Amino acid sequence: MAAVLLEGKVVAEGLKAKVKAEVEALKAKYNKAPKLIALQIGENASSAVYVKAQKKVAELLGIEYELKTVPGSTSQAEAEVIIKNLNKNPGVTAVILQLPVPKDIDAKSLVNLIAPEKDAEGMHPQNLGRILLGQYKIGPCTAMAVMELLESTKISLYGKEAVVVGHSEIVGKPLALMLLNKFATTTVCHIGTGERGVLPEHVKRAEILVVAVGKAGIVKGDWIREGAIVIDVGINRVGDKISGDVEFEGASKKAAYITPVPGGVGPITTTILMRNTVELFKEQVK
Ligand code: NAD
């Protein structure tokens, strides 16, 4: 039987409605709205697409949004001062550093400098640490988006065999912790797993499979366990098309649920960024 498509747009719509209602209630109670600043260093075409999407979703949800663009020639020290000033500014409730940054800028140390209470992407070590402790309301947008997709199936994760392929700091690692927090029996695969040649045997066990590698079709359709939930985070340009890390056609014949690429995880991430922004605001006004 063909798998049910897990469409990000549908999940994002439900989330947007919740966040919008929450913003309205907060505005009524505190007479102010959350304000997210996107700091962009230099011009970048891919970042421009994200910024446009962020602005649109923020406006829709009643969140104030401002893009602060500084020249590509900005030094690390100057960028640090900008972030410190945003941290101090009481009118700014959340900050995101748009990636990529110019090659001479160390993005990680700038992200670490964003005050954890204004860290809209949930990438500050303190916020990542909260995920380890299972005490978090915000988190890296893509990992949180995957959890929303899983939740939308209403299938309990308790005790399930979950396999995450990819162990990046923005997706695989935080996601593995989130799955553990839900008591899924979680395996994390990565380049070492692939190079040892044992990726298929791990994938074949997965009742919940999340793939975030960035290599088109690295997971073959016939590896998928019958009835699995398959979340494909990968975005790969193949010719003039975008495709995922999982061979969709074969996988969708075996899975119970599967995300399309594009249209799975991607449409949810911007809404999660806004939900993070609102959660940070709630803590600040408490
Ligand atoms: P990354 O490059 O930081 O990490 C890739 C991971 O894949 C690493 O853990 C690496 O060890 C693992 N890997 C590489 N080769 C492997 C192999 N042969 N076998 C097993 N594991 C292997 O990637 P990332 O930033 O986590 O992104 C992964 C993919 O997800 C990319 O395609 C990216 O574009 C996409 N992505 C999508 C969204 C979205 O919103 N939909 C957001 C973030 C990332």
Side-chain angles (χ1 to χ4, degrees):
M1 217 175 76
V4 173
L5 266 192
L6 283 176
E7 302 217 49
K9 229 169 141 181
V10 176
V11 174
E13 284 313 313
L15 267 180
K16 277 180 198 158
K18 277 193 213 152
V19 177
K20 189 172 183 201
E22 201 156 27
V23 173
E24 273 164 19
L26 286 164
K27 274 186 184 165
K29 188 166 178 192
Y30 297 104
N31 202 23
K32 71 179 214 176
K35 178 164 184 171
L36 172 63
I37 299 281
L39 175 61
Q40 185 176 309
I41 307 175
E43 303 287 336
N44 181 282
S46 64
S47 169
V49 176
Y50 288 123
V51 163
K52 207 171 147 200
Q54 286 167 9
K55 188 171 191 299
K56 194 172 148 202
V57 178
E59 276 168 6
L60 186 82
L61 304 184
I63 293 169
E64 291 177 22
Y65 180 88
E66 191 183 312
L67 171 65
K68 184 175 174 64
T69 308
V70 297
S73 57
T74 302
S75 69
Q76 183 81 20
E78 286 166 338
E80 286 174 3
V81 171
I82 293 166
I83 290 179
K84 283 181 186 163
N85 285 336
L86 291 172
N87 287 345
K88 275 189 269 174
N89 185 341
V92 173
T93 67
V95 177
I96 171 177
L97 175 68
Q98 290 302 144
L99 297 178
V101 292
K103 62 176 177 26
D104 293 335
I105 296 281
D106 173 5
K108 203 165 180 176
S109 72
L110 291 183
V111 168
N112 290 355
L113 207 61
I114 296 173
E117 59 276 13
K118 294 192 180 185
D119 168 32
E121 280 202 299
M123 284 303 294
H124 187 281
Q126 191 171 311
N127 288 322
L128 289 174
R130 285 182 189 278
I131 300 174
L132 181 89
L133 299 171
Q135 299 166 346
Y136 64 101
K137 295 251 169 73
I138 67 156
C141 300
T142 310
M144 296 285 264
V146 171
M147 292 307 286
E148 287 298 323
L149 279 165
L150 291 175
E151 232 162 73
S152 76
T153 67
K154 305 260 191 283
I155 291 172
S156 166
L157 302 178
Y158 194 90
K160 292 271 160 60
E161 287 286 339
V163 174
V164 178
V165 188
H167 77 323
S168 70
E169 284 161 16
I170 63 160
V171 192
K173 280 187 195 168
L175 181 63
L177 290 172
M178 290 173 190
L179 289 165
L180 274 178
N181 287 331
K182 297 280 181 193
F183 294 91
T185 306
T186 306
T187 303
V188 184
C189 300
H190 43 68
I191 184 77
T193 322
E195 288 189 346
R196 196 172 165 222
V198 290
L199 187 59
E201 68 190 62
H202 286 289
V203 170
K204 283 176 183 173
R205 275 190 299 105
E207 295 172 287
I208 313 288
L209 175 68
V210 185
V211 188
V213 172
K215 292 182 180 164
I218 186 172
V219 169
K220 308 299 172 208
D222 61 359
W223 298 356
I224 303 300
R225 180 167 168 170
E226 204 71 47
I229 304 177
V230 178
I231 311 284
D232 189 350
V233 183
I235 301 176
N236 308 287
R237 186 165 286 281
V238 180
D240 58 355
K241 281 206 177 129
I242 299 290
S243 75
D245 289 345
V246 179
E247 278 184 355
F248 183 84
E249 214 182 299
S252 60
K253 290 193 183 105
K254 298 187 82 181
Y257 296 86
I258 190 165
T259 51
V261 177
V265 180
I268 310 174
T269 52
T270 310
T271 305
I272 299 280
L273 178 71
M274 300 307 154
R275 188 178 70 183
N276 281 350
T277 299
V278 173
E279 290 297 333
L280 293 169
F281 181 75
K282 277 158 65 180
E283 283 299 309
Q284 292 165 25
V285 292
K286 230 181 192 173

